[in-house]
Amino acid sequence: MSVFIGGAWPYANGSLHLGHIAALLPGDILARYYRLKGERVLYVSGSDCNGTPISIRANQEGKTIREIADHYHQEFTESFSRLGFTYDLYTRTDGAFHHETVQRIFLDLMENGHIYKKETDQMYCETDQRFLPDRYVEGICPVCAHPSRGDQCDNCSTILDPLDLLEPKCKLCGNAPTVKKTEQFYFALSAFQEELEAYVKEAKDRGAWRENAIHLSERYLKEGLLDRAVSRDLPNGVPLPVEGYEDKKVYVWIEAVSGYYSASRQWAAENHESDEEFWQGDAKAYYVHGKDNIPFHTIIWPAILKGIGVQGLPTHIVSNEYLTLEKRKLSTSKNWAVWAPDILDRYNPDSIRYFLAINAPENRDTDFSWREFIYSHNGELLGAYGNFINRTLKFIEKSYEGTVPKAEVDSSIKRTIEGLYESVGRKIEEGHFKEGIEEVFAFVRFANKYFDEKEPWKEIKENRASCDQTIATCMLIIANLSQLLNPFLPFSTKKVQGMLAMEELNWAFVACETNTVSNIKPLFERYDVKRIEEEVDKLIKESD
Ligand SMILES: [Zn+2]
Ligand SMILES: [Zn+2]
């Protein structure tokens, strides 16, 4: 089976924070899982280096767009690597490959009759003497009356045209813009209405999209799809591949989502591979992002793919809800955020992955608090998982002089483990990562209980054969936990596999072949609970 996984493309205009990581982590869990299973996986993403947020930041800091993009792209690459994300390609949208692919897609859509030219009204700032990109216009959302940007309302998720805004203002100078005529190119999205209705209905029946994705897509379809301008007068981006219009740029609606395709093509070219299989109708295609990105992946991207005759539409939409921080909405402008480079400097990446997997905002917003974070590490990762491994290995070191006893293992536990591969695997495939890791940790707690009840420290004196069986069973559990937890906790499972000299990993029951253990070190360090207060103080002090 071929599995394509597309992680959302973070804007290269500011550091990644835990909200981004919570939205993107499912992609890496999927990629690791499917590779363990032996499937052909292509997992791609990249930094969005076009678009207005970057030019806004560059203006503010007196830097070039390229300098800003380089800085954050480099930082993103490092953060993802420190978090253990296993992208097959993590690229950027200001590269030649992306530009050429987007232009090709634009021309194909035009040749197939899906793009047309039209005279239109656009916001123009007399003070700044320029047409204003959507995000350069701010005002009041006509639907929910909250303050909103010109492209989309963050409060009610309505996709907007800046002309819809009430009380519009230029973001650059604060004055009210005027309206001027200009020519733009339009994507005939309305023509895909019926096809997309059938597509969303099929996804709903299959149950492979998050509920928020189904709801929002149904809402857009119910409101009726409108043709959308896909060219803009922007300072940066992909130039329009149409003679006489090279000054205009391909708008983010087509440009950004096409990154999945251009990254795939780039990966294929750089690795002398073919990526055709990932774009066929029978490939699985997961798209992993936050809920604000839903319509681009469930409506726009499928319409573009249909428009250029590509069969491989998104099959699974993994669109997380939001992560709050200490019960408050994350805000980058107010610096109410935990930044990825910062938390990675001081905490184990598996602690972060564990917390964001087991508290994943899958069906509702969830909260990150330093208290919960420290306690979940100390109590569950260290206290349950780390402890089970440590007590077993230490016992072998002490009572068996490091030689792992060979014995028939408990057959009911063997069956439980086999069942876990099937059940946890299904949960991962269906996008229920939280339930998946919960199930493995329920088994970790069971394993500790098994150890307590067997009392090997007594067995070793009273019934050596029985003790051999207990310890052999515990070792079997550890070997299999290291595989079952690999998609979630790659760093600590790698350590365990090192201790057990396991070579090849699979997503299937494995016997424990280890003969000796030595040099036992705890898997995790305990975090001092004093850190909770320190971290919360730091957060409050540094926020505005
Ligand atoms: Zn609104
Ligand atoms: Zn202005």
Side-chain angles (χ1 to χ4, degrees):
M1 197 202 334
S2 311
V3 184
F4 176 84
I5 304 163
W9 298 54
Y11 269 129
N13 74 326
S15 297
L16 296 171
H17 55 62
L18 285 185
H20 295 118
I21 310 304
L24 298 175
L25 178 60
D28 188 59
I29 296 173
L30 283 163
R32 287 175 176 275
Y33 161 77
Y34 276 115
R35 289 193 200 107
L36 278 182
K37 237 186 129 187
E39 310 293 6
R40 280 263 293 172
V41 172
L42 178 58
Y43 176 31
V44 297
S45 184
S47 306
D48 188 339
C49 300
N50 299 324
T52 38
I54 295 162
S55 57
I56 292 175
R57 177 115 197 181
N59 273 345
Q60 283 166 349
E61 295 191 7
K63 290 190 175 139
T64 65
I65 288 169
R66 183 79 199 190
E67 281 170 334
I68 298 283
D70 282 351
H71 173 82
Y72 287 109
H73 175 71
Q74 178 62 25
E75 192 187 290
F76 292 175
T77 307
E78 277 170 27
S79 291
F80 285 130
S81 144
R82 292 168 78 189
L83 281 160
F85 277 43
T86 52
Y87 294 116
D88 293 297
L89 178 70
Y90 185 82
T91 182
R92 53 194 289 172
T93 60
D94 51 3
F97 220 102
H98 180 68
H99 279 223
E100 282 160 24
T101 308
V102 170
Q103 290 182 332
R104 185 71 254 161
I105 288 176
F106 192 94
L107 288 174
D108 284 352
L109 287 172
M110 212 152 84
E111 274 159 30
N112 295 342
H114 301 301
I115 286 181
Y116 60 90
K117 195 165 61 181
K118 194 174 102 171
E119 197 179 58
T120 172
D121 291 334
Q122 199 178 334
M123 291 288 193
Y124 183 87
C125 179
E126 301 288 352
T127 316
D128 294 306
Q129 300 247 317
R130 59 181 291 181
F131 282 107
L132 296 173
D134 295 1
R135 279 183 178 239
Y136 278 39
V137 185
E138 293 179 338
I140 303 295
C141 170
V143 177
C144 71
H146 278 73
S148 172
R149 294 189 316 259
D151 57 343
Q152 189 179 16
C153 173
D154 277 341
N155 185 57
C156 69
S157 300
T158 301
I159 291 176
L160 296 168
D161 187 291
L163 293 166
D164 301 335
L165 285 181
L166 309 173
E167 300 170 36
K169 287 201 174 55
C170 168
K171 191 180 164 77
L172 298 172
C173 69
N175 293 324
T178 56
V179 176
K180 262 199 182 180
K181 292 265 178 233
T182 178
E183 261 185 330
Q184 297 296 5
F185 289 76
Y186 276 71
F187 179 40
L189 187 59
S190 59
F192 293 94
Q193 174 84 28
E194 276 174 32
E195 277 181 85
L196 289 176
E197 277 172 7
Y199 167 65
V200 172
K201 184 174 181 305
E202 188 274 332
K204 187 181 184 177
D205 294 343
R206 206 158 31 89
W209 290 12
R210 289 277 166 79
E211 231 164 76
N212 56 8
I214 294 287
H215 282 160
L216 206 55
S217 308
E218 283 182 338
R219 203 185 97 192
Y220 286 121
L221 289 164
K222 198 159 162 257
E223 287 165 1
L225 299 178
L226 302 173
D227 294 355
R228 293 285 174 173
V230 288
S231 63
R232 284 292 198 282
D233 302 277
L234 292 173
N236 62 330
V238 179
L240 232 57
V242 184
E243 218 189 310
Y245 295 91
E246 294 90 346
D247 285 352
K248 292 183 189 287
K249 304 294 189 299
V250 180
Y251 189 47
V252 62
W253 283 64
I254 286 187
E255 188 267 314
V257 281
S258 297
Y260 297 114
Y261 204 64
S262 66
S264 170
R265 288 283 130 108
Q266 187 182 342
W267 169 83
E270 287 176 358
N271 296 282
H272 310 290
E273 292 262 6
S274 163
D275 67 342
E276 290 299 330
E277 65 190 282
F278 299 105
W279 300 97
Q280 305 290 337
D282 57 352
K284 279 195 183 185
Y286 287 84
Y287 287 82
V288 179
H289 45 85
K291 67 176 164 188
D292 49 336
N293 270 320
I294 288 171
F296 301 100
H297 295 91
T298 64
I299 302 282
I300 315 285
W301 183 227
I304 293 170
L305 289 171
K306 281 175 178 290
I308 60 172
V310 170
Q311 305 294 317
L313 268 48
T315 56
H316 291 71
I317 298 290
V318 181
S319 42
N320 270 355
E321 297 285 314
Y322 293 142
L323 186 77
T324 56
L325 172 58
E326 303 285 352
K327 296 274 155 70
R328 273 171 58 189
K329 199 180 166 198
L330 278 163
S331 164
T332 54
S333 58
K334 297 193 179 92
N335 201 23
W336 190 254
V338 174
W339 303 101
D342 182 53
I343 190 170
L344 281 163
D345 280 344
R346 285 170 292 129
Y347 294 90
N348 185 326
D350 274 355
S351 309
I352 301 169
R353 292 177 66 115
Y354 175 77
F355 186 90
L356 294 179
I358 207 137
N359 297 291
E362 288 183 3
N363 303 310
R364 56 179 176 83
D365 292 356
T366 56
D367 188 56
F368 176 94
S369 75
W370 282 105
R371 169 168 297 274
E372 291 299 321
F373 175 68
I374 300 276
Y375 275 102
S376 94
H377 170 91
N378 286 348
E380 294 158 54
L381 267 191
L382 181 151
Y385 177 47
N387 180 44
F388 179 70
I389 292 166
N390 201 47
R391 70 201 295 203
T392 303
L393 299 185
K394 282 277 184 206
F395 189 83
I396 295 171
E397 202 175 41
K398 182 167 157 269
S399 302
Y400 288 92
E401 288 164 347
T403 304
V404 179
K406 296 288 168 209
E408 189 82 6
V409 296
D410 189 314
S411 60
S412 80
I413 289 182
K414 185 174 175 228
R415 278 196 303 277
T416 304
I417 292 171
E418 284 166 345
L420 278 174
Y421 283 102
E422 206 199 304
S423 159
V424 175
R426 196 172 52 241
K427 281 171 179 157
I428 293 175
E429 291 186 20
E430 290 171 354
H432 304 303
F433 309 99
K434 182 176 151 68
E435 286 174 29
I437 192 169
E438 273 171 358
E439 192 169 336
V440 183
F441 267 77
F443 182 64
V444 169
R445 286 189 290 276
F446 162 84
N448 274 307
K449 202 165 141 250
Y450 172 82
F451 194 98
D452 291 338
E453 285 173 359
K454 288 288 178 183
E455 302 182 306
W457 57 93
K458 281 190 190 161
E459 279 186 313
I460 189 83
K461 292 177 203 141
E462 292 159 8
N463 185 344
R464 173 93 184 193
S466 174
C467 189
D468 289 356
Q469 193 187 25
T470 301
I471 295 303
T473 302
C474 288
M475 287 300 285
L476 181 78
I477 293 174
I478 293 173
N480 283 282
L481 277 178
S482 81
Q483 297 198 127
L484 286 159
L485 285 173
N486 176 274
F488 302 99
L489 309 173
F491 296 96
S492 47
T493 54
K494 192 155 190 250
K495 271 197 209 167
V496 174
Q497 282 146 14
M499 291 187 228
L500 267 55
M502 290 169 75
E503 275 162 19
E504 207 172 318
L505 299 189
N506 288 298
W507 192 261
F509 180 85
V510 62
C512 180
E513 308 285 1
T514 317
N515 294 318
T516 56
V517 292
S518 58
N519 255 327
I520 314 304
K521 289 193 194 75
L523 210 48
F524 302 101
E525 282 173 46
R526 182 172 297 278
Y527 294 143
D528 191 333
V529 292
K530 274 191 288 194
R531 281 184 172 206
I532 297 167
E533 214 184 305
E534 289 166 13
E535 293 290 359
V536 174
D537 284 350
K538 177 171 178 284
L539 181 66
I540 292 170
K541 213 172 81 205
E542 289 172 4
S543 72
D544 299 333

